[in-house]
């Protein structure tokens, strides 16, 4: 199979990647987007907090974004990275299909994947009535019976957040210890602290109706908040030697303030560097990194031309 050549390869076609590709295509760059087609929020009913596009279906948003990128000459390839490496001033990327792409610059916007607790049924309800973010889903579950499942050190404060949207919030510590002052805040604001562990969920007529506890009892609920741990989607990118940052809550790529990774010529944007970004933030970050990248390429080109004229 022949090798495709491009000036900039954007790996990942979510809000950050497509926004970056749109910005770069409008800057008259030769851009290819390599996208596996598996966005993090695919199961969600709508994307929220997007001015002018409130509630748009996530897959519909990406379809519009792909059309906009291609309208300016950008190319979209539906494939997944199998291997990537630096090679003599460029980057060689091989996709799972066997397709080969050579690029002068890489922009990684592969996003993140959510890792849920090992409780039966959670994954099937994820993005529907098993959720994680008050700003993404809080309005849709306002005034309902909400359970918050502890998964890390910040879970108690996340339970406190959901009290803004409903007076019926229960917090399940799951055996974790939390500072007394945090628990006092929950109690003072009307949030119930449960003394049993959640071991399963109760689903009827394709809707969450409660959680199953370790004594086999069922507590009625309408929604369950699970602050998932996140892992940057960097499969196939090991050959680049990118620096990552790991904590109990997340694994993310390390970038500087401009979006440059630890490897020269490789940039990154969106949830792959910060899993807490909303869709609007990821899109904005993709555009900003793309503008900075494009500006740097302009200056590099001018410097190279200056050196050629002086030699």
């Amino acid at each position: 199979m022949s090798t495709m050549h491009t000036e900039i390869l954007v790996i990942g076609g979510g809000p950050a990647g497509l926004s970056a590709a749109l910005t770069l295509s409008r800057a008259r760059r030769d851009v290819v987007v390599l996208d596996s087609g598996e966005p993090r929020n695919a199961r969600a009913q709508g994307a929220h907090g997007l001015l002018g596009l409130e509630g748009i279906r996530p897959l519909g948003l990406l379809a519009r974004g792909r059309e906009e990128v291609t309208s300016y000459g950008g190319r979209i390839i539906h494939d997944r990275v199998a291997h990537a490496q630096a090679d003599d001033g460029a980057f060689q990327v091989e996709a799972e299909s066997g397709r080969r792409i050579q690029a002068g610059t890489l922009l990684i916007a592969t996003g993140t994947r959510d890792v849920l607790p090992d409780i039966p049924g959670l994954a099937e309800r994820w993005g529907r009535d098993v959720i994680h973010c008050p700003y993404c889903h809080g309005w849709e579950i306002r005034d309902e019976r909400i359970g918050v499942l502890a998964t890390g050190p910040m879970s108690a404060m996340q339970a406190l957040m959901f009290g803004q949207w409903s007076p019926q919030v229960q917090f399940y510590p799951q055996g974790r210890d939390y500072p007394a002052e945090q628990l006092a805040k929950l109690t003072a604001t009307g949030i119930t602290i449960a003394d049993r562990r959640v071991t399963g969920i109760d689903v009827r007529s394709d809707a969450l109706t409660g959680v199953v506890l370790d004594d086999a009892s069922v507590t009625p609920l309408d929604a369950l908040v699970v602050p998932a741990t996140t892992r940057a989607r960097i499969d196939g990118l090991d050959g680049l030697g990118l620096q990552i940052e790991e904590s109990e809550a997340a694994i993310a790529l390390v970038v500087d303030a401009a979006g440059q990774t630890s490897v020269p010529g490789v940039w990154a944007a969106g949830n792959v560097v910060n899993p807490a970004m909303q869709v609007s933030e990821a899109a904005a970050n993709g555009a900003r990194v793309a503008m900075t990248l494009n500006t740097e390429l302009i200056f590099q080109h001018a410097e190279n031309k200056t050196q050629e004229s002086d030699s």
Side-chain angles (χ1 to χ4, degrees):
M1 183 177 291
S2 62
T3 299
M4 172 186 291
H5 296 266
T6 185
E7 187 177 16
I8 302 170
L9 176 62
V10 178
I11 304 176
L18 290 176
S19 183
L22 177 62
T23 300
L24 292 166
S25 296
R26 283 177 50 82
R28 309 188 73 178
R29 295 292 178 186
D30 178 28
V31 180
V32 171
V33 177
L34 186 66
D35 180 36
S36 66
E38 298 175 345
R40 179 187 185 189
N41 61 354
R43 294 189 180 186
Q45 294 298 307
H48 299 288
L50 276 171
L51 186 63
L53 293 172
E54 168 60 30
I56 187 173
R57 288 188 174 276
L59 295 181
L61 175 66
L62 298 186
R64 290 181 62 168
R66 288 190 290 270
E67 290 177 359
E68 291 170 353
V69 170
T70 56
S71 74
Y72 288 99
R75 291 172 285 174
I76 310 289
I77 297 175
H78 298 285
D79 212 332
R80 190 191 310 272
V81 173
H83 180 69
Q85 66 181 34
D87 182 22
D88 194 24
F91 297 95
Q92 305 292 338
V93 175
E94 183 175 344
E96 287 187 350
S97 66
R99 185 192 305 268
R100 294 182 178 86
I101 305 171
Q102 183 183 80
T105 302
L106 298 182
L107 198 163
I108 299 172
T110 45
T112 189
R113 64 170 57 91
D114 298 296
V115 181
L116 300 173
D118 188 18
I119 295 176
L122 285 187
E124 290 75 14
R125 307 303 306 175
W126 185 241
R128 302 169 67 187
D129 37 30
V130 174
I131 61 171
H132 73 291
C133 168
Y135 294 103
C136 301
H137 306 282
W139 175 264
E140 283 65 40
I141 60 173
R142 64 194 184 280
D143 296 326
E144 293 185 354
R145 297 168 299 182
I146 302 171
V148 180
L149 191 70
T151 59
M154 296 302 298
S155 294
M157 292 300 91
Q158 287 163 325
L160 186 65
M161 293 282 293
F162 276 90
Q164 169 69 19
W165 281 266
S166 175
Q168 304 179 79
V169 177
Q170 298 184 53
F171 177 55
Y172 294 88
Q174 296 293 93
R176 287 177 172 266
D177 291 325
Y178 289 91
E181 59 270 21
Q182 290 188 10
L183 298 180
K185 287 185 172 100
L186 298 186
T187 302
T189 54
I191 296 172
T192 302
I193 302 173
D195 57 3
R196 310 296 307 192
R197 293 183 185 228
V198 174
T199 60
I201 60 175
D202 190 47
V203 178
R204 301 180 186 181
S205 300
D206 195 29
L208 177 77
T209 55
V211 289
V212 181
L213 304 180
D214 55 10
D215 63 355
S217 64
V218 176
T219 298
L221 290 176
D222 302 301
L224 181 63
V225 176
V226 182
T229 57
T230 60
R231 299 291 181 264
R233 289 179 169 178
I234 50 177
D235 299 334
L237 301 176
D238 294 350
L240 296 173
L242 299 166
Q243 182 182 354
I244 63 171
E245 183 176 28
E246 185 171 359
S247 67
E248 182 178 1
I251 294 177
L253 284 184
V254 174
V255 295
D256 64 15
Q260 295 188 73
T261 71
S262 57
V263 177
V266 182
W267 303 64
N271 288 141
V272 74
V273 302
N274 181 356
M277 286 185 185
Q278 300 277 303
V279 171
S280 56
E281 293 176 286
N285 183 239
R288 175 52 58 189
V289 171
M291 284 186 274
T292 305
L293 163 58
N294 181 65
T295 301
E296 179 164 302
L297 291 178
I298 290 172
F299 291 161
Q300 285 180 355
H301 177 72
E303 180 65 23
N304 292 339
K305 287 297 185 182
T306 302
Q307 291 177 1
E308 290 174 7
S309 64
D310 290 341
S311 61

